[in-house]
Coordinates of all heavy atoms in Angstrom, one line a residue:
M1 N -44.6 19.3 18.1 CA -44.4 17.9 17.7 C -45.3 17.0 18.6 O -45.2 17.2 19.8 CB -42.9 17.5 17.8 CG -42.6 16.1 17.3 SD -40.8 15.7 17.4 CE -40.3 16.4 15.8
T2 N -46.0 16.1 18.0 CA -46.8 15.2 18.8 C -46.0 14.1 19.4 O -44.9 13.8 19.0 CB -48.0 14.6 18.0 OG1 -47.4 13.8 17.0 CG2 -48.8 15.7 17.4
K3 N -46.6 13.4 20.4 CA -45.9 12.2 21.0 C -45.6 11.2 19.9 O -44.5 10.6 19.8 CB -46.8 11.6 22.1 CG -46.2 10.5 22.8 CD -47.1 10.0 23.9 CE -46.5 8.7 24.5 NZ -47.4 8.2 25.5
K4 N -46.6 10.9 19.0 CA -46.4 10.0 17.9 C -45.2 10.4 17.0 O -44.4 9.5 16.6 CB -47.7 9.8 17.1 CG -47.7 8.7 16.1 CD -49.1 8.5 15.5 CE -49.1 7.3 14.6 NZ -50.4 7.1 14.0
E5 N -45.1 11.6 16.7 CA -44.0 12.1 15.8 C -42.7 12.0 16.5 O -41.7 11.7 15.9 CB -44.3 13.6 15.5 CG -45.4 13.8 14.5 CD -45.8 15.2 14.3 OE1 -45.6 16.1 15.2 OE2 -46.3 15.6 13.2
M6 N -42.7 12.2 17.8 CA -41.4 12.1 18.6 C -41.0 10.6 18.6 O -39.8 10.4 18.4 CB -41.6 12.6 20.1 CG -41.7 14.0 20.2 SD -41.7 14.5 22.0 CE -43.2 15.3 22.0
I7 N -41.9 9.7 18.8 CA -41.6 8.3 18.8 C -41.0 7.9 17.4 O -40.0 7.2 17.3 CB -42.8 7.4 19.2 CG1 -43.1 7.6 20.6 CG2 -42.6 6.0 18.8 CD1 -44.4 7.0 21.1
K8 N -41.7 8.3 16.3 CA -41.2 8.0 15.0 C -39.8 8.6 14.7 O -39.0 8.0 14.1 CB -42.2 8.6 13.9 CG -43.5 7.8 13.8 CD -43.1 6.5 13.2 CE -44.3 5.9 12.5 NZ -44.0 4.5 12.1
T9 N -39.6 9.8 15.2 CA -38.3 10.4 15.0 C -37.2 9.7 15.8 O -36.1 9.4 15.2 CB -38.3 11.9 15.5 OG1 -39.3 12.6 14.8 CG2 -37.0 12.6 15.4
L10 N -37.5 9.2 17.0 CA -36.5 8.4 17.7 C -36.2 7.1 17.0 O -35.1 6.6 16.9 CB -37.0 8.2 19.2 CG -36.8 9.3 20.1 CD1 -37.6 9.0 21.4 CD2 -35.4 9.6 20.4
Q11 N -37.3 6.4 16.6 CA -37.1 5.2 15.9 C -36.3 5.3 14.6 O -35.5 4.5 14.3 CB -38.5 4.6 15.5 CG -39.3 4.0 16.7 CD -40.7 3.6 16.4 OE1 -41.4 4.3 15.6 NE2 -41.1 2.5 17.0
Q12 N -36.6 6.4 13.9 CA -35.8 6.6 12.6 C -34.3 6.9 12.9 O -33.5 6.3 12.3 CB -36.4 7.8 11.9 CG -35.7 8.1 10.6 CD -35.8 7.0 9.6 OE1 -36.9 6.4 9.4 NE2 -34.7 6.7 8.9
K13 N -34.0 7.7 13.9 CA -32.7 8.0 14.3 C -32.0 6.7 14.8 O -30.8 6.4 14.4 CB -32.6 9.1 15.4 CG -31.2 9.5 15.7 CD -30.6 10.2 14.5 CE -29.2 10.7 14.8 NZ -28.5 11.2 13.6
E14 N -32.7 5.9 15.6 CA -32.1 4.6 16.1 C -31.7 3.7 14.9 O -30.7 3.1 14.8 CB -33.1 3.9 17.0 CG -32.5 2.7 17.6 CD -32.8 1.4 16.8 OE1 -33.7 1.4 16.0 OE2 -32.0 0.5 17.0
A15 N -32.6 3.6 13.9 CA -32.4 2.8 12.7 C -31.2 3.3 11.9 O -30.4 2.5 11.5 CB -33.7 2.8 11.9
E16 N -31.1 4.6 11.8 CA -30.0 5.2 11.0 C -28.7 4.9 11.7 O -27.7 4.4 11.1 CB -30.2 6.7 10.8 CG -31.3 7.0 9.9 CD -31.7 8.5 10.0 OE1 -31.0 9.3 10.7 OE2 -32.7 8.9 9.3
L17 N -28.6 5.0 13.0 CA -27.4 4.8 13.8 C -27.1 3.3 13.8 O -25.9 2.9 13.7 CB -27.5 5.4 15.2 CG -27.5 6.9 15.3 CD1 -27.9 7.3 16.7 CD2 -26.1 7.4 14.9
F18 N -28.1 2.5 13.9 CA -27.9 1.0 13.9 C -27.2 0.6 12.6 O -26.3 -0.2 12.5 CB -29.2 0.3 14.2 CG -29.0 -1.2 14.3 CD1 -28.3 -1.7 15.4 CD2 -29.6 -2.1 13.4 CE1 -28.1 -3.1 15.5 CE2 -29.5 -3.5 13.6 CZ -28.7 -4.0 14.6
L19 N -27.8 1.1 11.5 CA -27.2 0.8 10.2 C -25.8 1.3 10.0 O -24.9 0.5 9.6 CB -28.1 1.4 9.0 CG -27.5 1.2 7.6 CD1 -27.3 -0.3 7.3 CD2 -28.4 1.9 6.6
E20 N -25.5 2.5 10.4 CA -24.2 3.0 10.4 C -23.2 2.2 11.2 O -22.1 1.9 10.8 CB -24.1 4.5 10.8 CG -24.8 5.4 9.9 CD -24.8 6.8 10.4 OE1 -24.2 7.1 11.5 OE2 -25.5 7.7 9.8
M21 N -23.7 1.8 12.4 CA -22.8 1.0 13.3 C -22.5 -0.4 12.6 O -21.3 -0.8 12.6 CB -23.6 0.7 14.6 CG -22.8 -0.2 15.6 SD -23.7 -0.6 17.1 CE -25.1 -1.6 16.4
K22 N -23.5 -1.0 12.0 CA -23.2 -2.3 11.3 C -22.3 -2.1 10.1 O -21.5 -3.0 9.8 CB -24.6 -3.0 11.0 CG -25.3 -3.5 12.2 CD -24.4 -4.5 12.9 CE -25.0 -4.9 14.2 NZ -24.1 -5.8 15.0
Q23 N -22.5 -1.0 9.4 CA -21.6 -0.8 8.2 C -20.2 -0.6 8.7 O -19.3 -1.1 8.1 CB -22.1 0.5 7.5 CG -23.4 0.2 6.7 CD -24.0 1.5 6.1 OE1 -23.8 2.6 6.7 NE2 -24.7 1.4 5.0
Y24 N -20.0 0.2 9.7 CA -18.6 0.4 10.2 C -18.0 -0.9 10.8 O -16.9 -1.2 10.6 CB -18.6 1.5 11.3 CG -18.6 2.9 10.7 CD1 -19.5 3.3 9.8 CD2 -17.6 3.8 11.1 CE1 -19.5 4.6 9.3 CE2 -17.5 5.1 10.6 CZ -18.5 5.5 9.7 OH -18.4 6.7 9.2
E25 N -18.9 -1.7 11.4 CA -18.4 -3.0 11.9 C -17.9 -3.8 10.8 O -16.9 -4.5 10.8 CB -19.5 -3.7 12.7 CG -19.1 -5.0 13.2 CD -20.3 -5.7 14.0 OE1 -21.4 -5.1 14.1 OE2 -20.1 -6.9 14.4
H26 N -18.7 -3.8 9.7 CA -18.4 -4.6 8.5 C -17.1 -4.1 7.8 O -16.2 -4.9 7.4 CB -19.5 -4.6 7.5 CG -19.3 -5.3 6.2 ND1 -19.2 -6.7 6.2 CD2 -19.0 -4.9 5.0 CE1 -18.9 -7.1 4.9 NE2 -18.8 -6.0 4.2
M27 N -17.0 -2.8 7.7 CA -15.8 -2.2 7.0 C -14.5 -2.2 7.9 O -13.5 -2.5 7.3 CB -16.1 -0.8 6.7 CG -17.1 -0.6 5.6 SD -17.3 1.1 5.0 CE -18.1 1.9 6.4
F28 N -14.6 -1.9 9.1 CA -13.4 -1.7 10.0 C -13.2 -2.8 11.1 O -12.1 -2.8 11.7 CB -13.5 -0.3 10.6 CG -13.6 0.8 9.6 CD1 -14.8 1.5 9.5 CD2 -12.6 1.1 8.7 CE1 -14.9 2.6 8.6 CE2 -12.7 2.1 7.8 CZ -13.9 2.8 7.7
G29 N -14.2 -3.6 11.4 CA -14.1 -4.5 12.4 C -14.7 -4.1 13.7 O -14.8 -2.9 14.0
Q30 N -15.0 -5.0 14.6 CA -15.8 -4.8 15.8 C -14.9 -4.0 16.8 O -15.5 -3.2 17.6 CB -16.2 -6.1 16.4 CG -17.5 -6.0 17.1 CD -18.0 -7.4 17.5 OE1 -17.2 -8.3 17.8 NE2 -19.3 -7.6 17.6
E31 N -13.6 -4.1 16.8 CA -12.8 -3.4 17.8 C -12.2 -2.1 17.2 O -11.4 -1.5 17.9 CB -11.7 -4.3 18.2 CG -12.1 -5.6 18.9 CD -13.0 -5.3 20.2 OE1 -12.6 -4.3 20.9 OE2 -14.1 -5.9 20.3
S32 N -12.6 -1.7 16.1 CA -12.1 -0.4 15.5 C -12.6 0.8 16.2 O -13.8 0.7 16.7 CB -12.5 -0.3 14.0 OG -13.9 -0.2 13.9
P33 N -11.9 1.9 16.3 CA -12.4 3.1 16.9 C -13.6 3.6 16.2 O -14.5 4.1 16.8 CB -11.2 4.1 16.7 CG -10.0 3.3 16.4 CD -10.5 2.0 15.8
Q34 N -13.7 3.5 14.9 CA -14.8 3.9 14.1 C -16.1 3.2 14.6 O -17.2 3.8 14.8 CB -14.6 3.7 12.6 CG -13.5 4.5 12.0 CD -12.2 3.7 12.0 OE1 -12.0 2.8 12.8 NE2 -11.3 4.0 11.1
H35 N -16.0 1.9 14.7 CA -17.2 1.1 15.1 C -17.6 1.4 16.5 O -18.7 1.6 16.8 CB -16.9 -0.4 14.9 CG -18.0 -1.2 15.5 ND1 -17.9 -1.9 16.7 CD2 -19.3 -1.5 15.0 CE1 -19.1 -2.5 16.9 NE2 -19.9 -2.3 15.9
K36 N -16.6 1.6 17.4 CA -16.9 1.8 18.8 C -17.6 3.2 19.0 O -18.5 3.3 19.8 CB -15.6 1.8 19.6 CG -15.1 0.4 19.8 CD -13.8 0.4 20.6 CE -13.3 -1.0 20.8 NZ -12.1 -1.0 21.7
T37 N -17.2 4.2 18.2 CA -17.8 5.5 18.2 C -19.3 5.4 17.8 O -20.2 6.0 18.4 CB -17.0 6.5 17.3 OG1 -15.7 6.6 17.8 CG2 -17.7 7.9 17.3
K38 N -19.5 4.7 16.7 CA -20.9 4.5 16.2 C -21.7 3.8 17.2 O -22.9 4.1 17.4 CB -20.9 3.9 14.8 CG -20.4 4.7 13.7 CD -21.4 5.9 13.5 CE -20.9 6.8 12.4 NZ -21.7 8.0 12.3
R39 N -21.1 2.7 17.8 CA -21.9 1.9 18.7 C -22.3 2.8 20.0 O -23.4 2.7 20.5 CB -21.0 0.7 19.2 CG -21.8 -0.2 20.1 CD -21.0 -1.5 20.4 NE -19.8 -1.1 21.1 CZ -18.6 -1.7 21.0 NH1 -18.5 -2.8 20.2 NH2 -17.6 -1.3 21.7
S40 N -21.4 3.6 20.4 CA -21.7 4.5 21.5 C -22.9 5.5 21.2 O -23.8 5.7 22.0 CB -20.5 5.4 21.9 OG -19.5 4.6 22.4
S41 N -22.8 6.0 20.0 CA -23.9 6.9 19.5 C -25.2 6.1 19.5 O -26.3 6.6 19.9 CB -23.6 7.5 18.2 OG -22.5 8.3 18.2
W42 N -25.2 4.9 18.9 CA -26.4 4.1 18.8 C -26.9 3.8 20.2 O -28.2 3.8 20.5 CB -26.2 2.9 18.0 CG -27.3 1.9 18.1 CD1 -28.5 2.0 17.4 CD2 -27.4 0.7 18.8 NE1 -29.3 0.9 17.7 CE2 -28.6 0.1 18.6 CE3 -26.5 0.1 19.7 CZ2 -29.0 -1.1 19.2 CZ3 -26.9 -1.1 20.3 CH2 -28.1 -1.7 20.1
C43 N -26.0 3.4 21.1 CA -26.4 3.0 22.5 C -27.2 4.1 23.2 O -28.1 3.8 24.0 CB -25.2 2.6 23.3 SG -24.7 0.9 22.9
V44 N -26.8 5.4 23.0 CA -27.5 6.5 23.7 C -29.0 6.5 23.3 O -29.8 6.6 24.1 CB -26.8 7.8 23.3 CG1 -27.6 9.0 23.8 CG2 -25.4 7.9 23.9
I45 N -29.2 6.4 22.0 CA -30.6 6.5 21.5 C -31.4 5.2 21.9 O -32.5 5.3 22.4 CB -30.7 6.6 20.0 CG1 -30.1 7.9 19.5 CG2 -32.1 6.5 19.4 CD1 -30.8 9.2 20.0
Y46 N -30.7 4.1 21.8 CA -31.3 2.8 22.2 C -31.7 2.8 23.6 O -32.8 2.4 24.0 CB -30.4 1.6 21.8 CG -31.1 0.3 22.1 CD1 -31.9 -0.2 21.2 CD2 -30.8 -0.4 23.3 CE1 -32.6 -1.4 21.4 CE2 -31.4 -1.6 23.5 CZ -32.3 -2.1 22.6 OH -32.9 -3.3 22.8
E47 N -30.8 3.2 24.5 CA -31.1 3.3 25.9 C -32.2 4.2 26.3 O -33.1 4.0 27.1 CB -29.9 3.6 26.7 CG -28.8 2.5 26.8 CD -29.3 1.3 27.5 OE1 -30.0 1.4 28.5 OE2 -29.0 0.2 27.0
L48 N -32.3 5.4 25.6 CA -33.3 6.4 25.8 C -34.7 5.7 25.4 O -35.7 5.8 26.1 CB -33.1 7.6 25.0 CG -34.1 8.7 25.1 CD1 -34.1 9.3 26.5 CD2 -33.8 9.8 24.0
M49 N -34.7 5.1 24.3 CA -35.9 4.4 23.8 C -36.4 3.4 24.8 O -37.5 3.3 25.2 CB -35.7 3.8 22.4 CG -35.7 4.9 21.3 SD -35.2 4.2 19.7 CE -36.6 3.0 19.4
N50 N -35.4 2.6 25.3 CA -35.7 1.5 26.2 C -36.3 2.1 27.5 O -37.2 1.6 28.1 CB -34.4 0.7 26.5 CG -34.7 -0.5 27.3 OD1 -35.6 -1.3 26.9 ND2 -33.9 -0.8 28.3
E51 N -35.7 3.2 28.0 CA -36.2 3.9 29.2 C -37.7 4.3 29.1 O -38.4 4.2 30.0 CB -35.3 5.1 29.4 CG -35.6 5.8 30.7 CD -35.1 5.0 32.0 OE1 -34.1 4.3 31.8 OE2 -35.7 5.2 33.0
F52 N -38.1 4.7 27.9 CA -39.4 5.1 27.6 C -40.4 4.0 27.1 O -41.5 4.3 26.8 CB -39.5 6.3 26.7 CG -38.9 7.6 27.3 CD1 -37.8 8.2 26.9 CD2 -39.6 8.2 28.4 CE1 -37.3 9.3 27.4 CE2 -39.1 9.3 29.0 CZ -37.9 9.9 28.5
G53 N -39.8 2.8 27.0 CA -40.6 1.7 26.5 C -40.9 1.8 25.0 O -41.9 1.2 24.6
I54 N -40.0 2.4 24.2 CA -40.2 2.5 22.8 C -39.4 1.4 22.1 O -38.2 1.3 22.3 CB -39.8 3.9 22.3 CG1 -40.6 5.0 23.0 CG2 -39.9 4.0 20.8 CD1 -40.0 6.4 22.7
K55 N -40.1 0.6 21.3 CA -39.4 -0.5 20.6 C -38.9 0.1 19.2 O -39.5 0.9 18.6 CB -40.4 -1.6 20.3 CG -41.0 -2.1 21.6 CD -40.5 -3.5 21.9 CE -41.2 -4.1 23.0 NZ -40.5 -4.2 24.3
P56 N -37.7 -0.5 18.8 CA -37.3 -0.1 17.5 C -38.3 -0.6 16.4 O -39.0 -1.6 16.6 CB -36.0 -0.9 17.3 CG -35.5 -1.1 18.7 CD -36.8 -1.3 19.5
D57 N -38.3 0.1 15.3 CA -39.2 -0.2 14.2 C -38.4 -1.1 13.2 O -37.6 -0.6 12.4 CB -39.7 1.0 13.5 CG -40.7 0.7 12.4 OD1 -40.8 -0.5 11.9 OD2 -41.4 1.6 11.9
A58 N -38.6 -2.4 13.3 CA -37.8 -3.4 12.5 C -38.1 -3.3 11.1 O -37.4 -3.8 10.2 CB -38.1 -4.8 13.0
F59 N -39.2 -2.6 10.7 CA -39.6 -2.5 9.3 C -39.1 -1.3 8.6 O -39.3 -1.1 7.4 CB -41.1 -2.6 9.2 CG -41.6 -4.0 9.7 CD1 -42.2 -4.1 10.9 CD2 -41.4 -5.1 8.9 CE1 -42.6 -5.3 11.4 CE2 -41.8 -6.4 9.4 CZ -42.4 -6.5 10.6
L60 N -38.3 -0.4 9.3 CA -37.7 0.7 8.6 C -36.6 0.2 7.7 O -35.9 -0.8 8.0 CB -37.1 1.7 9.6 CG -38.1 2.5 10.4 CD1 -37.4 3.3 11.6 CD2 -38.9 3.5 9.5
P61 N -36.5 0.8 6.5 CA -35.5 0.3 5.5 C -34.1 0.2 6.1 O -33.3 -0.7 5.8 CB -35.5 1.4 4.4 CG -36.8 2.0 4.5 CD -37.2 2.0 6.0
E62 N -33.7 1.2 7.0 CA -32.3 1.1 7.6 C -32.2 -0.1 8.5 O -31.1 -0.7 8.4 CB -32.1 2.4 8.4 CG -32.0 3.7 7.6 CD -33.4 4.3 7.3 OE1 -34.4 3.7 7.6 OE2 -33.4 5.4 6.7
N63 N -33.2 -0.5 9.2 CA -33.1 -1.6 10.1 C -33.0 -2.9 9.2 O -32.3 -3.8 9.5 CB -34.2 -1.7 11.1 CG -33.9 -1.0 12.3 OD1 -32.8 -0.8 12.7 ND2 -35.0 -0.5 13.0
M64 N -33.8 -2.9 8.2 CA -33.8 -4.1 7.3 C -32.4 -4.3 6.6 O -31.9 -5.4 6.5 CB -34.9 -4.0 6.3 CG -36.3 -4.1 7.0 SD -37.7 -3.8 6.0 CE -37.8 -5.3 5.1
E65 N -31.8 -3.2 6.2 CA -30.5 -3.2 5.6 C -29.5 -3.7 6.6 O -28.6 -4.5 6.3 CB -30.1 -1.9 5.0 CG -28.8 -1.9 4.2 CD -28.5 -0.6 3.6 OE1 -29.4 0.3 3.4 OE2 -27.3 -0.4 3.2
A66 N -29.6 -3.2 7.8 CA -28.6 -3.6 8.9 C -28.7 -5.1 9.2 O -27.7 -5.8 9.3 CB -28.9 -2.8 10.2
V67 N -30.0 -5.6 9.2 CA -30.2 -7.0 9.4 C -29.5 -7.8 8.3 O -28.9 -8.9 8.5 CB -31.7 -7.4 9.6 CG1 -31.9 -8.9 9.6 CG2 -32.2 -6.8 10.9
G68 N -29.6 -7.3 7.1 CA -29.0 -8.0 5.9 C -27.5 -8.1 6.1 O -26.9 -9.1 5.8
I69 N -26.9 -7.0 6.6 CA -25.4 -7.1 6.9 C -25.1 -8.1 7.9 O -24.2 -8.9 7.8 CB -25.0 -5.7 7.4 CG1 -25.1 -4.7 6.2 CG2 -23.5 -5.8 7.9 CD1 -24.8 -3.2 6.7
V70 N -25.9 -8.2 9.0 CA -25.7 -9.3 10.0 C -25.9 -10.7 9.4 O -25.0 -11.5 9.7 CB -26.7 -9.1 11.2 CG1 -26.6 -10.2 12.2 CG2 -26.4 -7.7 11.9
I71 N -26.9 -10.9 8.6 CA -27.1 -12.2 8.0 C -25.9 -12.6 7.1 O -25.4 -13.7 7.2 CB -28.4 -12.2 7.2 CG1 -29.6 -12.1 8.2 CG2 -28.5 -13.4 6.3 CD1 -31.0 -11.9 7.5
E72 N -25.4 -11.6 6.3 CA -24.3 -11.9 5.4 C -23.0 -12.3 6.3 O -22.3 -13.2 5.9 CB -24.0 -10.8 4.5 CG -25.0 -10.6 3.4 CD -25.2 -11.8 2.6 OE1 -24.2 -12.4 2.1 OE2 -26.4 -12.2 2.3
R73 N -22.8 -11.6 7.4 CA -21.7 -11.9 8.2 C -21.8 -13.3 8.8 O -20.9 -14.1 8.8 CB -21.6 -10.9 9.4 CG -20.3 -11.0 10.2 CD -20.2 -10.2 11.4 NE -21.0 -10.9 12.4 CZ -21.9 -10.3 13.2 NH1 -22.1 -9.0 13.1 NH2 -22.5 -11.0 14.1
V74 N -23.0 -13.6 9.3 CA -23.2 -15.0 9.9 C -23.1 -16.0 8.8 O -22.4 -17.1 9.1 CB -24.6 -15.0 10.5 CG1 -25.0 -16.5 10.9 CG2 -24.7 -14.1 11.7
K75 N -23.5 -15.8 7.6 CA -23.3 -16.8 6.5 C -21.8 -17.0 6.2 O -21.4 -18.1 6.0 CB -24.0 -16.3 5.3 CG -25.5 -16.5 5.2 CD -26.0 -16.0 3.9 CE -27.5 -16.1 3.8 NZ -28.0 -15.6 2.5
G76 N -21.1 -15.9 6.2 CA -19.7 -15.9 6.0 C -18.9 -16.7 7.1 O -18.0 -17.5 6.8
E77 N -19.4 -16.5 8.3 CA -18.7 -17.2 9.5 C -19.1 -18.7 9.4 O -18.2 -19.5 9.8 CB -19.2 -16.6 10.8 CG -18.6 -15.2 11.0 CD -19.2 -14.5 12.2 OE1 -20.1 -15.1 12.9 OE2 -18.8 -13.4 12.5
A78 N -20.3 -19.0 9.0 CA -20.7 -20.4 8.9 C -20.0 -21.1 7.8 O -19.7 -22.3 8.0 CB -22.2 -20.5 8.7
A79 N -19.6 -20.4 6.8 CA -18.9 -21.1 5.6 C -17.5 -21.3 6.0 O -16.8 -22.2 5.4 CB -19.0 -20.2 4.4
D80 N -16.9 -20.6 7.0 CA -15.5 -20.8 7.3 C -15.3 -22.0 8.1 O -15.5 -22.9 8.5 CB -15.0 -19.6 8.1 CG -14.9 -18.4 7.3 OD1 -14.8 -18.5 6.1 OD2 -14.9 -17.3 7.9

């Protein structure tokens, strides 16, 4: 596996975990055990990437979907 492939693999895994974390947050709430477990998993990959200076790929479909979840939550909170 080349360095470029490793970076892409890490970015993909980070995006998948970020989406799962946001989905669990939406379904179960921020303080739920399910969300906390997903957040811990995501943090491991995110911190590893940060350590190596690898930025998340914001254009991966999973990251874009996760951002959509965040936007909907913010819209809902603004409407309240």
Side-chain angles (χ1 to χ4, degrees):
M1 184 178 276
T2 67
K3 182 179 175 182
K4 188 174 184 174
E5 290 170 332
M6 285 186 240
I7 290 170
K8 284 292 205 188
T9 299
L10 283 171
Q11 289 173 320
Q12 182 63 45
K13 187 63 177 174
E14 184 273 336
E16 290 168 5
L17 289 170
F18 186 64
L19 174 58
E20 289 175 9
M21 178 184 66
K22 290 302 173 184
Q23 288 171 331
Y24 276 55
E25 179 182 357
H26 177 73
M27 290 187 293
F28 304 112
Q30 217 171 27
E31 297 303 317
S32 69
Q34 297 92 334
H35 175 255
K36 288 180 180 182
T37 299
K38 287 295 176 186
R39 186 175 60 214
S40 293
S41 298
W42 170 76
C43 280
V44 169
I45 297 294
Y46 184 80
E47 289 296 322
L48 180 66
M49 288 173 59
N50 192 45
E51 187 72 27
F52 290 113
I54 301 169
K55 303 254 188 250
D57 184 345
F59 297 103
L60 289 171
E62 293 86 354
N63 273 335
M64 295 172 76
E65 186 176 342
V67 168
I69 292 170
V70 172
I71 290 170
E72 289 303 313
R73 188 189 80 227
V74 170
K75 282 182 183 177
E77 289 172 0
D80 291 339

